[in-house]
């Protein structure tokens, strides 16, 4: 599964692990990505989205119809 959110566009950040001796090695900060199914009443079907935890809370706030409209406005097919 690719580590990006379909709604917010959150992608991994990159940085360094710094040891006690101050040696640096590269690392990734992955977003909390979940696969979630939602019922889309306007189309009479369910959809499966790849979302960050923040995007799941956003859908709870604005509703699935508005969220799907935002995703489609970004050029992603749902």
């Amino acid at each position: 599964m690719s580590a990006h959110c379909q709604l917010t566009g959150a992608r991994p950040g990159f940085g360094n692990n710094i040891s006690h001796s101050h040696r640096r090695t590269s690392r990734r900060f992955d977003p909390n990505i979940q696969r979630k199914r939602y019922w889309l009443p306007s189309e009479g079907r369910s959809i499966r989205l790849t979302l960050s935890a923040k995007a799941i809370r956003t859908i709870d706030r604005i509703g699935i119809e508005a969220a799907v409209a935002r995703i489609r406005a970004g050029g992603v097919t749902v």
Side-chain angles (χ1 to χ4, degrees), residues 10 13 15 19 21 26 29 32 39 59 62 73:
S19 70
S21 64
S26 62
F29 295 92
N32 185 5
W39 177 253
I59 290 175
I62 66 172

Side-chain angles (χ1 to χ4, degrees), residues 1-77:
M1 175 184 348
S2 61
H4 77 277
C5 175
Q6 289 180 309
L7 181 60
T8 63
R11 292 186 178 271
F14 294 90
N16 290 309
N17 283 323
I18 301 180
S19 70
H20 178 70
S21 64
H22 220 65
R23 287 178 58 100
R24 295 179 171 148
T25 55
S26 62
R27 63 162 294 178
R28 281 170 48 137
F29 295 92
D30 287 327
N32 185 5
I33 298 294
Q34 312 289 327
R35 298 229 343 137
K36 190 140 170 67
R37 274 180 46 173
Y38 287 99
W39 177 253
L40 202 56
S42 64
E43 297 181 14
R45 67 184 182 104
S46 63
I47 57 171
R48 188 178 299 266
L49 298 174
T50 304
L51 302 168
S52 63
K54 181 180 178 180
I56 293 171
R57 291 194 305 271
T58 301
I59 290 175
D60 289 344
R61 193 179 75 245
I62 66 172
I64 186 64
E65 298 291 342
V68 168
R70 283 189 194 179
I71 293 170
R72 287 181 173 150
V76 179
T77 59

